[in-house]
Amino acid sequence: MVLNVIIAEAALELIPIQVLDHPSVRNEARRRGVEPRDMLLDRSIHHAAMLKLEEHFKRGRPDLVYLTLLNATSTPLYQDGKAKVYIHTRDDIVLDFAERTRPPKSYTRFRDLMQQALFEKPDSGLIRVYDSTVKQILQRTGSGPKIGLSVQGGRMRLDELATRLGDSKESGVVIGGFPRGHFEPETTEGLERLVRIDERSLDAHVVVARLIYEVEKLVRGVG
Amino acid sequence: MVLNVIIAEAALELIPIQVLDHPSVRNEARRRGVEPRDMLLDRSIHHAAMLKLEEHFKRGRPDLVYLTLLNATSTPLYQDGKAKVYIHTRDDIVLDFAERTRPPKSYTRFRDLMQQALFEKPDSGLIRVYDSTVKQILQRTGSGPKIGLSVQGGRMRLDELATRLGDSKESGVVIGGFPRGHFEPETTEGLERLVRIDERSLDAHVVVARLIYEVEKLVRGVG
């Protein structure tokens, strides 16, 4: 089986044109010796600049994307090629990681890799970058279950969900890669249903770790 | 119940005196406008400088400590005050996080906080910093089970281990906060036993996420 994990509407983007001239952006660019347009938007640095951006509360959280990605790719399921990871951004750019690719563990190297990937949009190698909606990614992941995880979904036990996903040759699970708010209608379009796995709202990196672990229990028989 | 999670011999330290003058250290200090002695040792930046340090392969991985810490503190168990986290460094310095304290999600802010904590060693507030061995931490965590996780331990299912830990009023679990190698004899001294939870060697942040999830299942009854 293959579990396709889609980190959707991820809060990952290059500095938008509206804030290229903001002092927090220009200062960082000068300090790092790079162009403002080559940098990632990051709330922990560009908070003041972001206030003028649309839906700013959902944006500029590369740390969150990093934690979520690493919690997926550090697992035996991923290392065995039984989980595949896509980062889908709110601009419908997809970073498609080749099977078993290990992203850098160091945050700084992760950041530099993401900047480069979003700027250069390579279409081969360990990360392919292309334009795609979540629906389009799901269409390519076979006929298995396609589930979105959201506090707006119906409650389901995570081990039950894992059984459902792990029983299919190929399945897709969509997790929000943003700190607040809900999926856009375009994101949920290709989904069979939305599922809520906890009565609390959990961070995306916690959800990914738990989901993959439950699927692994079935597939690898560990416990 | 309270689960005391001790991230032991963590690869977290200020730049050691032997490499203060290395070009990779001085360049970073100049770029960031700080003193070399105020910075964390980081293999992704100071690799060449580290080669002359003793046991360098176990050191300089603040990224790994960050991932492990965040995977503990982002969980409902921690947020309910039922897990407590200690970072113990190889120099026997302990960072003792007050109940429910949320460390910064941004890696850069985490790094700055760790630098400050190790340099100033505050003894009050959200993080107390003091000298202590792992054995001494465990002595203060009551009479419950004290388990170390290691590939050198005897195989036990993680859900069984969680039951054993979750059944006690207070228990201690020790996880290696380093990328390679094994615990020092001083670390395992206060332990009842070493347990291996997977046939593979798992990253510390994966272990923490899985362990806390299994304990949560018992304590919160989620699944």
Side-chain angles (χ1 to χ4, degrees), chain A residues 7 63-73 175-177 204-205 208:
Chain A
I7 305 169
D63 54 329
L64 184 161
V65 179
Y66 163 75
L67 286 167
T68 307
L69 180 68
L70 268 283
N71 267 357
T73 58
I175 295 165
H205 71 275
V208 161

Side-chain angles (χ1 to χ4, degrees), chain A residues 2-20:
Chain A
V2 176
L3 177 70
N4 292 282
V5 177
I6 302 162
I7 305 169
E9 300 175 35
L12 188 75
E13 62 185 301
L14 296 173
I15 302 279
I17 198 157
Q18 303 96 306
V19 298
L20 277 176

Side-chain angles (χ1 to χ4, degrees), chain B residues 94-111:
Chain B
V94 170
L95 288 81
D96 177 334
F97 292 79
E99 223 177 65
R100 298 170 213 242
T101 296
R102 298 291 292 267
K105 288 265 172 76
S106 145
Y107 174 74
T108 315
R109 291 194 179 183
F110 163 83
R111 182 199 65 190

